[in-house]
Amino acid sequence: MNEDSRREDKIPVVQMLVVGFIASALGIAAGLAIEWFPESASTQAGPIDHLYDVLIWASVPIFVLVTTVVLFSVMKFRMRPGEENLDGPPIHGNTRLEVVWTAIPAIILVVLCAYAWIVLVDIEEAKANEMRVNVVGQQFAWTFEYPQAEGEPIKSNQLYLPNDRPVRFFVKALDVIHDFWVPAFRMKVDAVPGIETKYRITPNRLGTYPVVCAELCGLGHSVMRATARVVTPEDFEKWMAEQKAPAAAGGEGAAEEADGKTLFTDGNGTATACGACHTLADAGTNSETGPDLDETLAGADAAKIEEAIVEPDKEIAAGFQAGLMPKNYGDTLSDQELEALVKYLGEVAGK
Ligand code: CUA
């Protein structure tokens, strides 16, 4: 009898070890196989993704250990019929056990934190030839400012970056807390009113990547998006030159740039597309995030339309709230673009 029960006690431990080992191996394999992040586009992504893999190696076995012990205990020590009113045996603390289960997690945490800190310091190292970009978050839009040697900074609703050039973002918020995140670059930081937060990345792959707000900031949080375009240094210079002198471009390009309908539907690379939030029959858009412009702008004169774009909170359409539409279009649209947009809306709204 005694021998039997002792053997019975040993078997579950061996079983637990075997089950735990297999479950850990499966969990780690699945954790490493899943594509957690989009394709990377910065030199910082490599060390960060590696750090993430190490965390999976460290955390999956612990998760498996805890859940296996819990499940085992639930099965092995469950209450049987007739035992409902029995109290369990009195349990005293086991000091040695408590020291061990406190020390081991503490050591694991310290080692992982040290590793993460070293990675962060490493990828945040200042680089030569660094470019500065100011990022301003407000309900519900991003504005990117490129300071120049002279005069006002260039402002844009889209983030343009030259490939392989280190960049440092200086992030601010005008109203509530936002969070500036380009998943393809991996780094992200809160935009907090009253302080300036920063981070560095070096884009290393040409392409177009989403910029998102990663902090719930109000009704329009989900539409607080922009696009990061990593372009060749030549294309970047070209874009900067266009931003400096939009009127001087001349020819067909300029005519296209000032086309109100194009601006409305796809933003033309310079502004958030109005059509992403507004219904307008002529443009073929049907979003209901903002007011239906065929209704609200029908019969409005040019001054009224311009006010609705530049000072959206001055008059709020029925059923909508103040603060939903970005207030930065006066900054990010050029005079020509604003004029073209007003002209276009005046011609087609409500028709
Ligand atoms: Cu800004 Cu969420």
Side-chain angles (χ1 to χ4, degrees), residues 10-28:
K10 272 178 193 161
I11 294 166
V13 176
V14 176
Q15 276 177 344
M16 265 169 66
L17 281 175
V18 172
V19 169
F21 185 78
I22 295 173
S24 293
L26 289 176
I28 290 172

Side-chain angles (χ1 to χ4, degrees), residues 94-110:
N94 182 326
T95 311
R96 191 189 293 170
L97 192 61
E98 282 173 22
V99 167
V100 169
W101 80 39
T102 307
I104 292 179
I107 292 168
I108 294 175
L109 274 182
V110 168

Side-chain angles (χ1 to χ4, degrees), residues 251-263:
E252 263 173 50
E256 205 181 301
E257 239 173 87
D259 176 47
K261 187 169 178 176
T262 312
L263 276 169

